[in-house]
Amino acid sequence: MTEVSIFKNTNNIFTAAGMKRVDQLAINGNIDTGYSYMCKAGRHIYQAALAMLDGNKNVAVICGKGNNGGDGYAAARMLQKAGINVDCFSVCDTKDLNGEASVAFKDYIELKNGIVRIITNEQLPDFNNYSLIIDAMLGIGAKGEPRGLYANVIKAVNDSKTSVLAVDTPSGLDCDNGKCTSICIKADCTVAAGFYKMGQFFYPGRANVGKLQIADLGYPEDIAEEQSVGIFLPDNNCFNRILPARKENGSKIDHGLAFLLCGSRGMSGAAALTSISALRSGCGMVHLAVPESLVDTLAVKVTEPVLHPLAETASGACAASALHEILSLCERMDALCVGSGLSRDPQTASLVRELIGKTDKPAVIDADGLNAFAGHLPELSEHKGEIVITPHMGEWKRLFGELPDEPLDRINKLKDCAAQFNINILLKGSPSLAVNEKGTTVILPFGNSSLAKAGTGDVLSGIIVSLIAQGCSCFEAAILGAFLHGEAGRLAGTDLTEYSVLASDLMRYIPEVIKSVIISPYHSMT
């Protein structure tokens, strides 16, 4: 399975310019074709609106002068025909409408009671009188601060206590970088027309998007593929395709052997978290190699992993002399995890670099495994097996320097590094970003502040190495691992509050997330 084959066209993420280009090529100047896409967008907005309405079915639809407003008129017409009380407002003179938006406007006002009210600065509606507001003012191409009437309407919407549904993007959000203008719609839900937009996943804008839904408009697949820049959002079908199937007659060896080089004096917890999360994620067996003085402590902490004592330094870290024994153990393993709690002891750092240069087993390198390459970057290129590195921003900076703030610039920097060192990268953050050496990029907007706690990165490393041991590629394991980890954090935060989640709590929720992946029809149990 190639990595792109796990994604569908609707998983594509575009910049504003890329989305505009897809739209232009698909419509090719034909207003009838353009209006058909507009009606499809309106249908998705209509359905999302119905799902958000309570007993008081009064809806305000606020339309601008572009195609975003046209989508709003199309949705308003459908709501009106369904018996919903709709007040349609315009922030522009409707004579300024053209193309498909003009057609959508005319179709709306032809309805009985299809009246459009022009908003002025002197007469702003009281949006508290509605159970839902549909924001169809400013589309993805809008740049700069909303001014005048637009700014006043956005403020009035945000000051109300009414739920907001944004059409394609909240008005005031930059869809390329996720930055918000000083006045930006705070939506409860956003229906992205056609494809997701880059800025919808990056803060601060992500907080204004609310729940994000996709409106598949049926753009021609060849156009979407041609314009795709190789940036995707995975969905449950994607995760299902990645998740290794269980073998009914398989043994623990058939389900993967994971080798972990983790821990040091005072850091036995990191080794315990990584090993148990690996087992909880499906691999058949974990071999945990630690400094010999940690074995007795870990024998009490964990019972399932096989413990291997290693020679250690005076500081209680793995000694360089343990390399031969580690390489011997690795020979029968399916995947390696190197780094959790290892310490920055110079001997251990040297050991890590030698190990990665000599073993051909696929490996996850995290934490102090990454720190071992700080100042020794050329040695990272000398890895024999496939690897995935999982740095957070601090670890990235120590290895490669600063990252750009602009999302697309950041992604391009990750692509350059992945290609240069022939590695897979999972940059942890909000969102996390997975990139492989071919430049394929996956945005992973999962998790919440529950994960902002010591030890959660060790759990993620354990999940990823387990998936690799079961047969996933490093890139696939990074994608699915980030989802399992993030969703476990979300579920734990719901039950325990985001304040109180511990890294060890996450493992209780991994089974629930795996269940949600298994139910997809794509997963084969044979």
Side-chain angles (χ1 to χ4, degrees), residues 466-493:
S466 179
L467 293 170
I468 297 171
Q470 293 172 73
C472 288
S473 71
C474 285
F475 189 53
E476 291 170 343
I479 294 168
L480 179 56
F483 171 71
L484 297 179
H485 183 251
E487 274 294 284
R490 186 186 65 81
L491 293 174

Side-chain angles (χ1 to χ4, degrees), residues 125-402:
D126 183 356
F127 291 115
N128 285 303
N129 293 329
Y130 300 92
S131 56
L132 179 66
I133 300 166
I134 297 179
D135 162 33
M137 286 182 280
L138 297 173
I140 62 172
K143 297 291 183 182
E145 290 281 338
R147 293 183 176 86
L149 181 58
Y150 281 93
N152 291 336
V153 173
I154 291 172
K155 185 177 186 305
V157 170
N158 286 346
D159 287 345
S160 74
K161 297 179 180 179
T162 306
S163 297
V164 179
L165 171 62
V167 175
D168 210 11
T169 184
S171 293
L173 172 65
D174 189 314
C175 277
D176 286 338
N177 58 29
K179 293 179 181 178
C180 295
T181 55
S182 61
I183 185 78
C184 178
I185 285 289
K186 177 76 172 175
D188 298 280
C189 177
T190 297
V191 177
F195 299 99
Y196 299 107
K197 317 306 184 297
M198 180 86 69
Q200 294 169 338
F201 300 100
F202 291 84
Y203 284 98
R206 180 176 164 190
N208 286 56
V209 168
K211 181 182 178 182
L212 182 60
Q213 300 180 17
I214 189 70
D216 183 2
L217 305 187
Y219 285 114
E221 290 189 7
D222 58 338
I223 291 176
E225 289 176 3
E226 179 185 329
Q227 298 301 314
S228 173
V229 291
I231 302 176
F232 302 94
L233 177 76
D235 58 16
N236 201 65
N237 288 333
C238 166
F239 301 134
N240 185 275
R241 290 181 177 102
I242 293 174
L243 184 67
R246 302 297 289 178
K247 303 173 180 65
E248 288 190 13
N249 62 339
S251 68
K252 57 181 177 286
I253 295 174
D254 294 318
H255 287 97
L257 305 182
F259 178 82
L260 278 55
L261 179 63
C262 300
S264 60
R265 186 179 300 160
M267 298 293 286
S268 61
L273 288 168
T274 306
S275 58
I276 296 302
S277 62
L279 287 165
R280 186 67 78 186
S281 301
C283 69
M285 198 171 188
V286 165
H287 289 258
L288 176 57
V290 296
E292 56 188 351
S293 62
L294 267 62
V295 170
D296 289 345
T297 300
L298 282 166
V300 176
K301 283 180 178 285
V302 294
T303 54
E304 292 89 350
V306 178
L307 296 171
H308 298 274
L310 300 177
E312 63 183 72
T313 66
S315 66
C318 295
S321 60
L323 177 63
H324 179 75
E325 182 179 356
I326 292 170
L327 287 171
S328 178
L329 288 168
C330 286
E331 287 180 2
R332 59 192 182 96
M333 301 296 158
D334 296 298
L336 278 62
C337 178
V338 179
S340 300
L342 272 183
S343 87
R344 299 189 194 182
D345 187 293
Q347 274 202 54
T348 311
S350 176
L351 168 66
V352 168
R353 296 193 298 272
E354 282 202 65
L355 172 62
I356 296 302
K358 290 183 176 180
T359 181
D360 60 358
K361 303 296 182 178
V364 183
I365 308 177
D366 185 34
D368 287 326
L370 291 171
N371 290 327
F373 290 93
H376 300 270
L377 268 183
E379 294 183 58
L380 188 60
S381 300
E382 297 171 4
H383 61 89
K384 288 184 65 178
E386 184 187 14
I387 64 171
V388 54
I389 65 171
T390 59
H392 54 58
M393 289 296 287
E395 290 161 343
W396 177 275
K397 184 177 178 180
R398 282 193 288 273
L399 279 177
F400 304 106
E402 297 284 354

